[in-house]
Amino acid sequence: MTIRIDTTINGDRMEIDVDPTLTLLEVLRENLFLSGTKEGCGVGECGTCVVLVDGEPVTSCLVLAGDGDGANLETVEGLAQNGELNEVQQAFVNTGAFQCGFCTPAMVLSATALLRDNPQPDEEEVKKALGGILCRCGAYPKILEAVIEVTGEGA
Amino acid sequence: MTTYVGSRVARVDSVDKVTGHAVYGVDVALPGMLHGAVVRSPHPHARVVSIDISAAEKAPGVKAIVTGKDFPQLFGSAIKDQPFLAIDRVRYVGDPVAAVAATSEREAQYARDLIKVVYEELPAVTDMRLALADDAPLVHPDMHTYQRGGHDIVPHTNVNTLYRYERGDVETAFAEADFVFEGEYSAHALSHVALEVHVAVAEYDEYSGDYTLWVSTDRPFFLRDDLAGGLGVDGSKVRLKVAQVGGSFGAKGVPIAEAIAAVLARKTNGRPVKVELTREECLIASQLRVPAIMKLKTGVTKDGLMIGRSADVLWDSGAYTAYTVGVAIRGSQTIVGPYRIPNLKILSRQVYTNKGITGSYRGYGTTQVTWACESQMDEIAHELGIDPVELRLQNGYEEGDSYLNGQIMHGVGLKETVEVARDEIGWGSIDRQPAPHLRRGKGIATMIKPTMTPSSSNVVINLGGDASVQVICAAPEIGSGQDTVLAQMAADAVGVPIEDVSVPATDTALTPYNGPVASSRTTYHMGSAIVSAGAEIKEKVLALAGDFFGVDSEYLEMRDGEILDEDGERLIGLKDLLAKFHGEGFSLTAGGRYSSAGSPLLKADPGEEWISSIFWMFCTQAAEIEVDTETGAIRVVKVAASADVGKAINPMTCEQQIEGGVVMGVSNGILEDFKIDNGRIENASLADYKVATIQDSPEIVPILVESIHNEAPYGAKGIGEPAAAATPPAIGNALFDAVGIRIPDLPITPEKVLDALAAKEAEDL
Amino acid sequence: MKRLKDFAYQEPTTLDEAVAALAEGGDTARVLAGGTDLIVDLKIERLLTTAVVNIKRIPGLSGIDDLGEASRIGALTKVTDIEASTLVAERHPALSQAASILASPPVRALATIGGNVGRASPASDLGPALIVLGASARIRGTGGDREELVEALYTGPGRTSLACSDIITDFIIPKPAAGCGSAHVKLGKRGSGTDIAMAGAAASVVIAEGVITEGKIALASLGPIPFRATNAEEVLRGRPAAEETIAAAAEAAAGDASPIGDIRASASYRTTLARVLTLRALRAAIASSREVVA
Ligand SMILES: Cc1cc2nc3c(=O)[nH]c(=O)nc-3n(C[C@H](O)[C@H](O)[C@H](O)COP(=O)(O)OP(=O)(O)OC[C@H]3O[C@@H](n4cnc5c(N)ncnc54)[C@H](O)[C@@H]3O)c2cc1C
């Protein structure tokens, strides 16, 4: 069985037929080849599968495909425009806020969403917003530095 | 003079990683690809009586099913004790028994559940102390018949590694000592939790008999040889292509998903097979840190001079030895710490148990022994009334000291690491106690780590006609910034802009041999090879330029892609120079090789040269923590983390390693805790095996100490591993400073803290 | 990766359709709200389902409203929206606090209040807060609508008195009286934040002239369901809102707790936490009684 979903992904509106027992993560990675979104645990604990749904970071491994209908989805692939990194991505590059890079798409997306809502978060707010994404390489100090750099409050 | 070496160059993998374009092992997808699923043992120890695949064979989408009898060879590094799939026995909960390949992963998982295995349970031994007992069930009754290297085992027991070391006369030293300290400490099993799970795609060519695998690994050639061993073919029949690695920390070196994918691919008529473990499978059936129980006895004079130490270390390899034998031997040596202790006696034994395999984990044994060594150092200091910092400075190694085997050590920045960490944390004072139930304290710990010695690295550097440079080597980017520091060194060695340098992905059929990206060895070893190959390229280019301008190339220099004359004036750009060869085509290659074997630096007392290390790493951490005395919860407030890296090729990537090590150390030390019942891991999920988040990450101040090592490329040593080891003891020592208790058995959980506080209160009454 | 087993999937657009679909699906049909429990339970095969009824296409099931003498929170209201609501923060601090520490932001943005109660986890964060606030749930089932106190819904770990075809539509929380305060605290293994509770406590108090006229305490991960610590509540009644009272109630709460030892904590440690967390929840509830907008 498939259902048709009408969805916008990184600004492109599309209608796709999907198996409703798939998760949004599977649809993104396997049906749409947007492999920037990763799976690290499958049960919402690691946060590497975060995508933005209507601007909010959610763990896409826990969302069924049907909920993509009518949604505005953003994945890491949509952040850079015309070969230009967005300011969070650029700050991640400047400060070295990643190591293996596996959590980076989720971190960058979540930080981007945070800064849209709250352009001047303090360190505690940044930590809280990113608290659901694991980075086993421990890039946390530089991730924090990168997000603060975007606010213009950095040293 | 260097342009790139020593500066905070942005990582060369930056854009790929922040845009999500980087292709990891899990992202590899090939046309016609099948998906695998694995049947695993539910028992810690059992005989496999029968395997019924009849229902699974008929399930939708199924293309192949394999069981252990299809691949009866054993593989392993020090002991060949492990099959790809259980042959007649399962030895841990999670031991792979059979595997299915189907057109989709869902079908594979569905069919997997239809395979019926009948087991006959056998008595299991799941506790390393009990594994030593005379009547303990034997995990490998045939151990003595297995192929193995030169190390000692105790046949017909579970002891798969026996190692003794003695120097001086420890008994006399204990008799002469004013104080003798004895303690028992333990370090627990940990999962690496690389966020990318274990994964592999394998393809088999029936005509040539060649296997090709797309993998995520930190040690391509070791893995290739292990795979070849298990498949029963020659190493040359196995080709590994390495994708981006989503973290390793020592985990991704032994065949795990790779083994299953390869055996399935053998039966799919050439269709590639992807095997991607679930997180649960990674937690129960990949590799864990080797747990250790460490008895430590140290004799000290009343002035704090350490004169003798004995250690009795017991390690738990789990069901198969994998890379644990080296951990048990090398690791136990480092329990002496970075201290001059003339009289030593070490006994190290490792046992098999019916638990998941263990292996290398960031630090290769040092995370365990540093916990014991540095906890006891703190006890000694407090008992003697000596400042813990002073005790370490008094006994610590200095430049030119000899290591326990007599090797003269160079590039020893230990004491500076202690001093800068001490100063940064504000040693000796607590600004304020935040509340009656919140107590702060500070603690310090240091450590020493050798690197795998001897080992070699090889590189081919190619300069193309477009002036681009390819650094062709088998040093996969596992996250620690290899590609960047190798590109920096190559750019300087050749004399080209770093933008023109690339480090292509590892492919064992194309890239020359390299030891593992492990043991903090890549910068030093591959760097050395790059420096020599780069110099050769530069020399050849300058010779061309010399011919062209009619000057002796000796008077020419190339830097950042420009050919310069004697006075540093630009003669021509490299691109323009090479354009002259456009018609005929151009490519210039040079090979570089570095091997530490036979280096005069390794000279040591006769028979003990093998203990030498081509360089030594030191790191110190001072931690400030806050203990909630009502709940026992610990918050790590700040860690001042210094590391002697030799020359920092890229200070930013060095900081990344230090910061990452501290975060991992905090996580290892106070959060991560497996609950194991009769060999079964009960919390095989990240919901219950807790890893530090950004909210658990303390303020970390990384400090680089640069003690220059003369044989090293630009003076660089290594940095990847050490930081993770010093954090738990620094926290443990800070706990004592805060509330006067010690927790000898890691991890330091809130519950243990409360129990110890209650015990202390009862004692104080 | 772990794949979901096959199931039938429906997206009804009215409550009646949904109830009918569930009734037809029988025992193994499940309501899908945020999915943060359901999808996990399906993946780890704690649960098998043949039919998933996604209720998010039914209008009117989310939102927070001021009904005057009560607040209404739709069952599909996301935990993040509860966390962000000033109405909830001002009137019902316990619920606001519980929402702000439930899971992590990307899970909270999916998780719903109805799902939290529907899952009936003994470790629930919202459950204890809803209980001390006297919240009730409005339910639509095959037999029509009814309203039940949240605390009466829980029947065992993961079990409620709801029939398979029942759907919680919204929650009604009485407006607090003057002098009323409430708070929620929990402790997870990761003391820092994002974590399931090793133990949790919510408290509400009504204080008149320095005396606690009524106090409620509810505990999580300290028994098979989120439940009221009745002996501790008894200790509070009619006593001064002072440290000795709180300490005595906290002691009593430890007695009310009947924790098990499991992979997260031992029973004895949990008993200690029952005392400490009750103490902290009560202190905070009393402090908030001066601020709550009645
Ligand atoms: C990583 C992670 C961390 C978590 N941490 C916490 C935590 O700290 N604290 C905590 O309390 N919980 C936690 N949870 C659990 C979960 O997020 C919450 O319980 C959440 O509120 C469930 O809501 P949901 O909408 O996702 O429920 P769903 O998964 O959609 O549903 C849960 C159950 O309730 C039923 N149900 C849902 N809505 C209704 C309704 N309207 N009427 C009747 N039945 C209904 C479903 O059929 C299902 O049985 C965590 C979960 C994850 C994945």
Side-chain angles (χ1 to χ4, degrees), chain B residues 105 631 688 690-691 751, chain C residues 3 190 195 264 266 269:
Chain B
E105 196 168 23
T631 63
D688 292 303
K690 286 297 179 192
V691 168
E751 204 162 336
Chain C
R3 305 290 174 162
R190 262 186 316 230
D195 209 349
R264 296 194 187 116
S266 72
Y269 182 60

Side-chain angles (χ1 to χ4, degrees), chain A residues 44-45, chain C residues 31 33-38 103 112 115-116 118-119 125 168 186 195:
Chain A
E45 283 287 339
Chain C
V31 171
T36 62
D37 276 318
L38 185 65
T112 67
N116 193 273
R119 169 67 177 80
D125 285 326
I168 304 175
K186 77 162 170 183
D195 209 349

